[in-house]
Amino acid sequence: MTSHEYATFLAGSANRARVVTALHEDGTGTVGSISDRLSMSRSTVHRSLRTFTEYGWTRRVDGTYRLTEAGELVLDAYETLIRTIEWVEEYEEFLTHLDDADGTFPIHGTTCANMVSATKDDPYRATTYIIDALTETSADRIRCITPIVSPLFADAARRLLDRGARIELIVSEPSLESAVQRSAEQQSPDSVAGFDLYSVPEDLPFGVTILDGERVLVSAFDDRGNLRACLDGKNPDFVEWATSTYETRRGESRRANVIPDL
């Protein structure tokens, strides 16, 4: 049999996965004990255990079964797959507009994260959510990566600077040049206290905002630069990914020569 056929066998029946999970949770089990525990027919349990033993996933000793190390690994991989599919279904809108995240996006690190997406009736819902988060935060240090330079977010940044927060912002050079052309005048990099602006040569596929290294907002944009969805979370893996992503971009950036007045 091929690896695909092994996987298809396990995934082809919810009962088979339940049998493996029961063995994992109880440590050992007999056909009768598992049948009673799962309210499943003995014949169904027996067929599953017999096949698992043939595959090397379980070991039988005097009528008692236990998972082998291989079985534990297979169960772990299966549960990871199920969690991934559940996550994809829950955050479909966010993933649809999240561009390349270097293949490192911590899907399971978004546990308990709040997802906000734009709707037909409220196309600015995600934008409003991020602005409110920035306006209401008590964070003293805000680090951001953004594909766009928007006056809406500039207003929120002014409020943060006015209360003494420090902001580091990384944008793409094309976005910065466009913002400079739109602004009525420009300021020198040292003229705005607490604000450091950096640029990277290439376009940025998504936005990241880190509030005091404790809370992260990841924003996804459509092809026209419209903010479509935002994921807000505090999971340590999520924060670690965002921090690593920011630091990588920061290492590639250079300080802007001018700050556009938006």
Side-chain angles (χ1 to χ4, degrees), residues 157-171:
R158 287 192 189 93
R159 297 190 185 100
L160 290 168
L161 293 171
D162 287 343
R163 69 165 180 76
R166 184 167 189 84
I167 300 175
E168 297 174 19
L169 179 64
I170 301 174
V171 301

Side-chain angles (χ1 to χ4, degrees), residues 141-146 149 166-173 175-176 189 194-201 204 246 249-260:
R141 185 188 184 195
I142 297 90
R143 289 169 289 172
C144 302
I145 301 172
T146 178
V149 181
R166 184 167 189 84
I167 300 175
E168 297 174 19
L169 179 64
I170 301 174
V171 301
S172 69
E173 289 182 3
S175 294
L176 178 58
F195 181 66
D196 291 311
L197 179 62
Y198 304 92
S199 65
V200 291
L204 295 167
Y246 178 86
R249 293 295 188 181
R250 176 69 181 82
E252 301 168 346
S253 70
R254 61 185 181 88
R255 196 176 188 200
N257 295 322
V258 295
I259 297 177

